[in-house]
Amino acid sequence: MSQYKIIFTGPVGAGKTTAIAALSDIAPVSTDAKATDMTRDRKEKTTVAMDYGAMRLEDGGTVHLYGTPGQERFDFMWEILTEGGIGLVLLIDNARENPFSDLRFYMEAFGKFIRSTAVVVGVSRFDLKDDPTIEAYNHRLEAMGFPNVPVFEVDARDRRDISLLVEALLSVIDPVASA
Amino acid sequence: MSTRHRLRLCHGGMEGRALATFEMFLKHVENFDCELVEEAGADIAVIDTDNYLGPYLVQAHRMLFPKRPMIHVSLKGELARDALSVWIEKPVSLEKFAHGLAQALAAGRAPQHDAKASGSGTDKEAAGRRASAIVQDQADTRLSNLYVGSLPDLDPADAGMMERAYYQPGKYLQGIVEEACRIAESTDAAANIVHGEERIMTIRADGQAYETSLDRRSLRSLGLIPLSKADFRVVTVNTGADANRAWRAIAPLRWELALWAARGRIPTGVPIRAPIRLVRWPNLTRLGLPPDAMRIAGLWASQARSMPETATLLGIPQRHVFAFFSACRSIAAVHCEAVPVAPPTPATAAPEAAPAPKRRGLFNRILGKLLGNQRADTAQDHP
Ligand SMILES: Nc1nc2c(ncn2[C@@H]2O[C@H](COP(=O)(O)OP(=O)(O)OP(=O)(O)O)[C@@H](O)[C@H]2O)c(=O)[nH]1
Ligand SMILES: [Mg+2]
């Protein structure tokens, strides 16, 4: 049976766990723990190992949705999680201190994976802070050597937004095949 | 007691108190159980045409729903009416209204209006060709009417035929707004778009934002139909008074005005054989989404392709490609490359056009899944 894997990543609180739950047909598995030290003032719970969800396809195939933990000290997990993935969904929290440095950090950390697969960027918490703009992200990515990456404003709690993000990822991987 | 007809009505030209009164009024109409519904599901449209927007509301509604009976409600009844339209003179009594409903129903049943039917055949063909994207076609039934019209596929080699693919943005609200933006930017002053004595909208001095008191339906009506330019003026205004306006970003408006005006066509002057490249991805979660936008964007982001080639490669109607192109062009998200001297290789011969069948199957299923669950969202009018 066909098995595919899409990876969600991004900083603490960007909405990875929420996004995976929005798409998943099974009760998502999340290894959230009470946030301590550096994340505590931002949110109550944070993912410590990973998120997992799955979209069941009609023919019995499965698309596995993996979320990396947002805290950088868990980055040893990333290489393992991306193994065999078909693409990356990068969620950036626009309300954080410096979203562009988050963007650079993740684009570089996953650079090898991105260059051999595909990436889309969802900018979350735009409702809380609408600066930088989506166009500024477009320019920044271009300057970083990643031209023409889809960047969409998303609310991770909105299934339609996350669906469109994944649809864009599939269209980047192969527009001709994706319908 | 006679049996009561159940009727679904949509309305136009009424808001606030007028609309609330109308809703109460409907509860008392004899012989009919009337219910106010969304435009897409209505049996009869009731439009108050006394407002200066009346003619636009009527024309736009007719364009979107060519076979629907319509009731004009007005003081003088001076607006031209087609065979499917009846007039009810104000003040509207319960008796007059019930009579008007019966007349409208009869008009709707008369056979002559079938001549007005358009597009449904080609839409069906397209759906057949894209059997793999059934879910999407269902989701797009309404959007395809609104955003991509019903233009059939054209032969790019036939210049005469291709004429039908073109429209002139300048004749639509799209062009008027574009012009107002230019004027605002070049004079560094806010610009009002004015119809008679009424202000339609104000463009901010930097051309990047607008403010309007019109609701979406009125804007859409103005955006869909060719306007007589003499009815509209652009006047610059003192910027001092603008500080507190509820400005909204101009890009989503320009995008949607282009979709409404184009309805599956492209602006005059765009060479049909020019390869198109995506300069940057539009923020597609926050813009009106014409069908197949994602896949077209994905293709143009990785390879420049002419519009007819794009339609062939993706197996979609040309009007979907034209619509997306026109929208992207309105926000400068696409670039037309120089037309190649030699005729382009047929799209079907392109080696990269043959995906592994297994993969194609996968993407179908994932997309079916994603779209399946958002069908309801897609069918809704954008906020
Ligand atoms: N206001 C707002 N809240 C959002 C948005 N997206 C997600 N959230 C909320 O943000 C909170 C954090 O989301 P999570 O899904 O836990 O974030 P995460 O990326 O999994 O975080 P870590 O596991 O700590 O790395 C949740 O309460 C979400 O409901 C958004 O666009 N706007
Ligand atoms: Mg989490």
Side-chain angles (χ1 to χ4, degrees):
Chain A
M1 205 48 66
S2 49
Q3 306 282 320
Y4 294 88
K5 181 170 162 182
I6 294 174
I7 292 96
F8 288 68
T9 194
V12 167
K16 302 175 293 293
T17 302
T18 311
I20 287 173
L23 285 186
S24 185
D25 298 317
I26 61 165
V29 181
S30 187
T31 52
D32 279 14
K34 274 248 162 66
T36 55
D37 51 284
M38 69 207 222
T39 54
R40 187 171 40 210
D41 48 347
R42 292 199 56 86
K43 58 201 293 252
E44 231 174 69
K45 283 190 162 182
T46 190
T47 305
V48 288
M50 63 170 200
D51 295 300
Y52 172 75
M55 285 161 53
R56 294 252 165 79
L57 305 177
E58 271 171 22
D59 66 343
T62 306
V63 180
H64 304 280
L65 309 168
Y66 286 94
T68 69
Q71 294 174 293
E72 285 156 31
R73 62 190 156 104
F74 294 108
D75 62 3
F76 70 91
M77 288 288 299
W78 296 353
E79 195 111 349
I80 304 169
L81 282 177
T82 53
E83 178 85 35
I86 61 170
L88 184 74
V89 176
L90 171 56
L91 294 175
I92 298 289
D93 174 355
N94 214 39
R96 258 165 67 100
E97 191 66 36
N98 190 343
F100 279 166
S101 80
D102 292 337
L103 180 71
R104 173 174 294 279
F105 176 85
Y106 286 93
M107 290 302 287
E108 279 172 4
F110 287 89
K112 212 175 107 202
F113 178 68
I114 289 171
R115 288 187 197 281
S116 65
T117 57
V119 66
V120 292
V121 177
V123 183
S124 66
R125 294 172 177 267
F126 219 85
D127 49 323
L128 305 177
K129 190 161 156 283
D130 61 5
D131 174 64
T133 62
I134 298 298
E135 271 193 47
Y137 277 88
N138 294 140
H139 292 311
R140 188 53 69 105
L141 281 161
E142 180 139 19
M144 286 167 51
F146 295 99
N148 250 332
V149 170
V151 184
F152 299 162
E153 186 185 325
V154 299
D155 187 322
R157 298 163 297 181
D158 184 341
R159 188 181 187 279
R160 178 179 184 267
D161 284 1
I162 304 302
S163 292
L164 288 173
L165 206 53
V166 171
E167 198 184 329
L169 184 69
L170 297 176
S171 298
V172 170
I173 295 171
D174 194 340
V176 178
S178 63
Chain B
M1 213 181 104
S2 62
T3 45
R4 292 170 65 84
H5 276 285
R6 193 170 156 265
L7 271 187
R8 291 163 304 179
L9 307 180
C10 65
H11 65 88
M14 288 176 260
E15 50 185 297
R17 244 180 58 198
L19 184 57
T21 312
F22 181 56
E23 271 199 274
M24 279 196 318
F25 175 90
L26 287 181
K27 295 206 171 87
H28 305 283
V29 179
E30 252 181 67
N31 302 333
F32 295 99
D33 280 326
C34 297
E35 182 194 358
L36 275 187
V37 298
E38 282 298 304
E39 216 173 29
D43 304 309
I44 296 178
V46 182
I47 300 182
D48 186 322
T49 60
D50 274 341
N51 187 290
Y52 76 100
L53 291 169
Y56 303 107
L57 294 172
V58 165
Q59 276 185 63
H61 197 87
R62 182 50 83 223
M63 175 181 252
L64 292 177
F65 304 99
K67 298 203 270 183
R68 176 177 295 164
M70 201 189 293
I71 292 176
H72 298 190
V73 178
S74 70
L75 286 169
K76 296 211 185 82
E78 69 278 24
L79 266 195
R81 289 185 299 278
D82 57 23
L84 281 173
S85 303
V86 299
W87 172 51
I88 302 181
E89 186 183 13
K90 286 181 184 172
V92 182
S93 66
L94 284 167
E95 195 184 338
K96 268 200 257 179
F97 193 73
H99 182 63
L101 286 177
Q103 273 185 302
L105 270 181
R109 278 193 216 102
Q112 77 270 13
H113 73 270
D114 274 355
K116 283 211 143 219
S118 66
S120 51
T122 51
D123 277 338
K124 270 190 204 115
E125 280 163 36
R129 250 182 290 134
R130 296 168 55 226
S132 61
I134 288 164
V135 184
Q136 171 142 27
D137 272 306
Q138 285 171 352
D140 291 336
T141 328
R142 274 179 66 195
L143 287 179
S144 68
N145 190 22
L146 184 53
Y147 284 148
V148 297
S150 55
L151 185 74
D153 280 359
L154 305 172
D155 176 2
D158 183 338
M161 199 189 201
M162 284 317 291
E163 280 304 304
R164 294 178 57 198
Y166 289 100
Y167 79 105
Q168 292 182 31
K171 290 198 167 159
Y172 291 82
L173 185 59
Q174 177 189 2
I176 296 173
V177 167
E178 280 168 6
E179 191 193 330
C181 287
R182 272 194 300 275
I183 292 175
E185 273 177 84
S186 63
T187 58
D188 197 24
N192 278 349
I193 299 174
V194 179
H195 178 288
E197 296 302 306
E198 309 280 345
R199 181 183 69 100
I200 304 271
M201 72 173 68
T202 303
I203 307 290
R204 198 168 65 191
D206 62 2
Q208 298 302 309
Y210 74 103
E211 188 270 326
T212 184
S213 52
L214 293 187
D215 63 8
R216 203 186 129 72
R217 185 89 60 84
S218 307
L219 262 186
R220 192 191 68 189
S221 297
L222 285 168
L224 274 170
I225 50 184
L227 304 172
S228 150
K229 259 193 123 174
D231 295 339
F232 296 82
R233 287 174 298 136
V234 177
V235 287
T236 53
V237 288
N238 184 353
T239 44
D242 295 329
N244 296 324
R245 285 190 198 271
W247 296 113
R248 283 184 270 182
I250 196 90
L253 176 72
R254 290 178 75 147
W255 171 276
E256 198 157 42
L257 286 176
L259 282 172
W260 283 331
R263 296 194 80 228
R265 298 173 296 170
I266 52 176
T268 313
V270 173
I272 192 69
R273 285 176 48 223
I276 311 298
R277 210 161 40 77
L278 193 72
V279 181
R280 65 186 161 81
W281 278 76
N283 181 16
L284 290 175
T285 49
R286 297 292 178 268
L287 295 167
L289 207 56
D292 297 312
M294 285 293 179
R295 299 176 61 217
I296 303 168
L299 182 68
W300 289 350
S302 66
Q303 44 186 296
R305 290 286 186 173
S306 78
M307 288 185 262
E309 271 183 297
T310 301
T312 309
L313 268 173
L314 301 183
I316 59 179
Q318 286 172 0
R319 62 182 178 279
H320 294 190
V321 182
F322 294 160
F324 183 65
F325 171 84
S326 295
C328 284
R329 190 173 187 263
S330 74
I331 59 163
V334 281
H335 174 75
C336 298
E337 297 191 341
V339 177
V341 183
T345 19
T348 42
E352 66 269 54
K358 189 175 160 217
R359 219 186 194 190
R360 182 184 284 266
L362 164 78
F363 287 134
N364 286 345
R365 297 191 303 275
I366 300 182
L367 270 180
K369 181 99 194 166
L370 293 175
L371 293 165
N373 292 331
Q374 78 182 45
R375 218 180 299 177
D377 307 348
T378 322
Q380 263 160 35
D381 226 356
H382 266 261

